[in-house]
Amino acid sequence: QVQLVESGGGLVQPGGSLRLSCAASGTIFSINAMGWYRQAPGKERELVAAITSGGSTNYADSVKGRFTIFRDNAKNTVYLQMNSLKPEDTAVYYCNADLILPGSYYSQSYWGQGTQVTVSS
């Protein structure tokens, strides 16, 4: 069974840093794009950052220059390095990945369970 397991969330003061990790486990043929989304209370889920299998990246304007997404294809893991955190970054962060399973001709989207990030003094 394929799973995305996130880690690294927590409480941090404004200006601080956190690194989120998301590891895909199970029988996987290949992974296309991977990304991080977030959802704050009362708001819709939004894309934070995404990275293709070739390493091309895309960021929300609100995090450009502060967050960095990168991946380790050998470990099927994507990371989100978050620096200069602000209270408005507080949200549940979700990992997403487009996976191709053995024997399949198309990719399927999988989600992690979410990890809470709280930025507060």
Side-chain angles (χ1 to χ4, degrees), residues 26-38:
T27 304
I28 300 168
F29 178 71
S30 66
I31 303 177
N32 293 335
M34 303 182 81
W36 290 94
Y37 291 72
R38 67 186 180 187

Side-chain angles (χ1 to χ4, degrees), residues 2 27-30 99-108 110:
V2 174
T27 304
I28 300 168
F29 178 71
S30 66
L99 309 179
I100 298 178
L101 304 184
S104 177
Y105 293 100
Y106 56 91
S107 65
Q108 299 178 62
Y110 286 81

